[in-house]
């Protein structure tokens, strides 16, 4: 079965650079979520999109922005990167059927040096 | 806001049973989920409770008491591959399935 695809898997950036993470949800899933997980931490909700519109916003810094495109893929744009942005970034998708269909991608490991 | 409490570490013997508890304080509550995460891997859905009672899925079971704001994950017939972190997570509204996670419980299964 198709899963949530994230790219790239690993990314190394320098401070103050920008990064773009991509997420391709499971086909026919209409909602995409972004989470940030620091080392040894729990995943923190950043932002979500339902049918290409922002649906909820969590602890996403103003330096970050995201959108969902007409093909339902989503991108998380991160600017003025800081060392503290180093983390695993997960995308998840669901089809509105509740937590049962909630599936996470394998994540992008961002390292800011 | 939301807060969830779960033990930080648990150690159990292969073949045994282990219970991981989770208490929560939320401004709203729709359901409690459990996720497994191996180091560097993605959270994987294990179980979900919206109503009081026990849900069983193979070796894993999950329980919820809404009146006590409490739930637990029960893992039976532990295997070495069950060594991982286990997170409880709440959803606070129907239609908005953003998850608020607990800090996670690191389970170590020993021979």
């Amino acid at each position: 079965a198709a899963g949530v695809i994230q790219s790239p898997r690993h990314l190394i950036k320098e401070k103050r650079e920008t990064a773009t993470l991509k997420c391709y949800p499971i086909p026919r899933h209409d909602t995409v979520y972004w989470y940030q997980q620091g080392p040894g931490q729990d995943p923190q909700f950043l932002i979500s999109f339902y049918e290409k519109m922002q649906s909820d916003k969590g602890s996403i810094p103003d330096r970050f922005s995201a959108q969902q495109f007409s093909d339902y893929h989503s991108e998380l744009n991160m600017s003025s990167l800081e060392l503290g942005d180093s983390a695993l970034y997960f995308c998840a998708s669901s089809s509105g059927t509740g937590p049962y269909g909630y599936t996470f991608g394998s994540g992008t490991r961002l390292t800011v040096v | 806001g939301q807060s969830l409490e779960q033990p930080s570490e648990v150690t159990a013997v292969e073949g045994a049973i282990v219970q991981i508890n989770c208490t929560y304080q939320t401004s709203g509550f729709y359901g409690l989920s459990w996720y497994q995460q191996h180091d560097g891997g993605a959270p994987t859905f294990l179980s979900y409770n919206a109503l009081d009672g026990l849900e069983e899925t193979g070796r894993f079971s999950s329980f919820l008491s809404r009146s006590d704001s409490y739930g637990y994950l029960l893992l039976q017939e532990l295997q070495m591959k069950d060594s991982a972190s286990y997170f409880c997570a709440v959803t606070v509204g129907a239609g908005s399935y953003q998850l608020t996670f607990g800090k996670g419980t690191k389970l170590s299964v020993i021979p």
Side-chain angles (χ1 to χ4, degrees):
Chain A
V4 177
I5 307 297
Q6 290 187 246
S7 67
R9 288 284 282 126
H10 302 274
L11 190 58
I12 300 175
K13 291 286 186 177
E14 296 188 353
K15 284 194 305 184
R16 293 180 290 278
E17 286 193 317
T18 61
T20 297
L21 311 185
K22 297 185 178 182
C23 169
Y24 297 84
I26 291 173
R28 292 178 294 282
H29 277 195
D30 52 21
T31 308
V32 168
Y33 311 80
W34 286 96
Y35 289 83
Q36 177 192 57
Q37 187 175 26
Q41 303 297 312
D42 56 293
Q44 294 286 318
F45 171 70
L46 294 178
I47 195 167
S48 63
F49 293 87
Y50 170 72
E51 285 290 347
K52 293 157 281 185
M53 298 290 290
Q54 181 182 308
S55 54
D56 281 300
K57 200 171 183 180
S59 52
I60 184 169
D62 291 341
R63 299 177 289 108
F64 294 6
S65 64
Q67 60 184 128
Q68 187 178 30
F69 295 85
S70 57
D71 64 351
Y72 290 91
H73 94 273
S74 178
E75 295 184 3
L76 178 66
N77 299 294
M78 311 159 71
S79 63
S80 303
L81 287 170
E82 301 173 357
L83 296 178
D85 296 329
S86 296
L88 265 172
Y89 290 83
F90 289 106
C91 169
S93 72
S94 72
S95 61
T97 57
Y100 294 105
Y102 207 110
T103 305
F104 283 81
S106 298
T108 294
R109 182 175 294 280
L110 172 66
T111 303
V112 182
V113 297
Chain B
Q2 281 73 244
S3 72
L4 297 90
E5 295 288 332
Q6 52 181 127
S8 58
E9 294 182 6
V10 172
T11 300
V13 178
E14 191 177 14
I17 299 172
V18 70
Q19 178 173 315
I20 299 173
N21 298 322
C22 174
T23 58
Y24 58 88
Q25 288 185 318
T26 61
S27 54
F29 180 82
Y30 190 72
L32 185 71
S33 301
W34 289 91
Y35 284 82
Q36 178 193 62
Q37 187 179 34
H38 289 94
D39 285 345
T44 303
F45 173 79
L46 293 177
S47 190
Y48 173 71
N49 297 73
L51 302 175
D52 287 358
L54 191 68
E55 293 284 337
E56 297 180 82
T57 309
R59 295 188 297 115
F60 298 158
S61 304
S62 60
F63 172 82
L64 176 66
S65 169
R66 295 175 68 115
S67 60
D68 295 324
S69 298
Y70 163 76
Y72 67 71
L73 177 70
L74 193 72
L75 298 84
Q76 302 181 73
E77 301 173 15
L78 281 173
Q79 303 175 9
M80 300 299 290
K81 68 178 182 180
D82 297 329
S83 293
S85 291
Y86 292 84
F87 293 89
C88 58
V90 296
T91 51
V92 298
S96 173
Y97 297 115
Q98 64 181 82
L99 297 169
T100 299
F101 287 84
K103 297 299 182 187
T105 298
K106 187 171 180 64
L107 171 65
S108 298
V109 180
I110 59 177

